[in-house]
Amino acid sequence: MNLDTMNPECFITSEHRGLIEMCYDLGAQIREGDLLVVIHEPDRTGTAPVEYRSKVDGLFMGRHFLSLIRPGDFLAVVAATVD
């Protein structure tokens, strides 16, 4: 299997602030549209969490490790599988 991260859609950057909940472990096979991360806003408990989904098929190979995230922070990377 060949992996490629040259596609900008492989990288996900947060547009929100809050507590992150990762839906996969590193090394997982990911399909386009899979739910990768959920962000919960601690200051607004009545709001729905924000979902981030993969834009490519590939291998989940990078993630934010602290539990708090801010806009502009790196959230995740999915290395696209190349035939």
Side-chain angles (χ1 to χ4, degrees):
M1 171 186 348
N2 293 318
L3 301 174
D4 180 22
T5 58
M6 295 304 290
N7 181 346
E9 291 188 340
C10 291
F11 295 87
I12 301 170
T13 303
S14 179
E15 297 178 11
H16 299 86
R17 175 181 148 337
L19 297 168
I20 60 173
E21 174 186 351
M22 289 290 171
C23 299
Y24 288 94
D25 291 327
L26 293 176
Q29 289 290 335
I30 303 295
R31 304 292 296 168
E32 181 179 344
D34 282 353
L35 179 62
L36 293 177
V37 182
V38 178
I39 298 180
H40 303 272
E41 242 185 292
D43 298 333
R44 301 178 70 199
T45 56
T47 61
V50 178
E51 298 180 344
Y52 284 83
R53 297 183 178 273
S54 179
K55 296 179 182 177
V56 297
D57 293 341
L59 184 75
F60 190 39
M61 67 173 277
R63 58 158 284 183
H64 186 84
F65 272 99
L66 299 176
S67 60
L68 291 174
I69 193 119
R70 296 174 300 193
D73 284 352
F74 164 77
L75 194 52
V77 63
V78 176
T81 51
V82 179
D83 297 326

